[in-house]
């Protein structure tokens, strides 16, 4: 089944933020030789990447068509890092590029961006004989089990609520 790529109109049935052609061009430009395979596999990866991008982030603004719109983009009330408004019928190139990056991970390892999570299977501390190890940042939340793609966060950080470019950088205020 062919992708239904969001055009900027807030389509009720869109299932992709980018086309296979967009992803092909993006990955060819960066020499990402892992972006290979048949059209069906690439479409599946793009759908999963789009779902991840639409559902895993808290974006600025609101969907232009409200709940009738199937994806998180396009949006109204969004500004970039330089305070330029994003037109309500546009998906920023940074969001498209980030979707291509996530699609690459999903093509290589399907489901990797949304792994299954069982809290009871998480190890915080292990002891084998006299050796005991406690892991730093041993969070047991489901969100902590998702990979954080720094390249993606750096691309889209300016469009997220709270404005953080990545999860390792906070905000500083002068008082």
């Amino acid at each position: 089944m062919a992708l239904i790529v969001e055009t900027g109109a807030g389509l009720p049935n869109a299932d992709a933020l980018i086309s296979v052609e967009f992803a092909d061009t993006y990955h060819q430009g960066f020499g990402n030789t892992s972006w290979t395979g048949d059209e069906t596999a690439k479409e599946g990866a793009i759908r999963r990447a789009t779902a991840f991008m639409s559902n895993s982030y808290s974006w600025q603004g609101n969907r232009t068509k409200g709940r009738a719109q199937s994806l998180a983009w396009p949006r109204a009330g969004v500004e970039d890092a330089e305070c330029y408004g994003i037109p309500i019928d546009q998906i920023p190139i940074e969001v498209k590029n980030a979707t291509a990056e996530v699609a690459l991970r999903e093509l290589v390892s399907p489901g990797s961006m949304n792994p299954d999570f069982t809290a009871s299977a998480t190890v915080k501390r292990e002891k084998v004989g006299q050796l005991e190890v406690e892991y730093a940042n041993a969070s047991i939340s489901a969100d902590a089990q998702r990979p954080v793609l720094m390249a993606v966060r750096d691309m889209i950080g300016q469009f997220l609520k709270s404005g953080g470019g990545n999860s390792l950088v906070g905000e500083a205020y002068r008082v």
Side-chain angles (χ1 to χ4, degrees):
M1 186 166 127
L3 294 175
I4 301 171
V5 180
E6 175 57 61
T7 62
L11 300 174
N13 60 343
D15 61 2
L17 289 169
I18 60 172
S19 65
V20 171
E21 295 77 21
F22 180 95
D24 286 347
T25 300
Y26 176 87
H27 290 299
Q28 181 180 9
F30 281 97
N32 294 333
T33 57
S34 296
W35 182 255
T36 187
D38 66 20
E39 191 97 353
T40 302
K42 289 179 177 180
E43 287 178 355
I46 289 170
R47 281 187 184 97
R48 290 188 302 276
T50 296
F52 178 81
M53 294 294 291
S54 284
N55 300 324
S56 299
Y57 294 107
S58 293
W59 301 99
Q60 294 177 27
N62 302 301
R63 295 176 190 209
T64 57
K65 301 292 182 180
R67 295 184 55 81
Q69 177 178 317
S70 63
L71 304 177
W73 286 90
R75 301 183 76 75
V78 178
E79 291 183 343
D80 68 11
E82 297 178 340
C83 299
Y84 290 105
I86 305 300
I88 63 171
D89 61 350
Q90 182 183 39
I91 301 168
I93 190 66
E94 297 90 344
V95 172
K96 291 180 178 184
N97 290 345
T99 303
E101 287 287 342
V102 174
L104 175 64
R105 275 63 172 193
E106 281 293 322
L107 181 67
V108 171
S109 182
S112 62
M113 296 308 297
N114 284 306
D116 290 339
F117 171 71
T118 305
S120 62
T122 304
V123 177
K124 180 179 179 181
R125 183 182 302 180
E126 291 181 293
K127 185 173 184 177
V128 178
Q130 293 180 342
L131 181 62
E132 185 173 6
V133 177
E134 184 169 342
Y135 299 100
N137 302 323
S139 175
I140 59 170
S141 73
D143 280 338
Q145 305 310 309
R146 285 186 172 153
V148 176
L149 303 179
M150 299 309 288
V152 170
R153 291 293 301 241
D154 289 345
M155 286 180 201
I156 65 171
Q158 63 186 324
F159 305 120
L160 299 177
K161 289 181 182 175
S162 78
N166 65 58
S167 63
L168 300 178
V169 178
E171 295 180 17
Y173 297 95
R174 187 177 301 261
V175 285

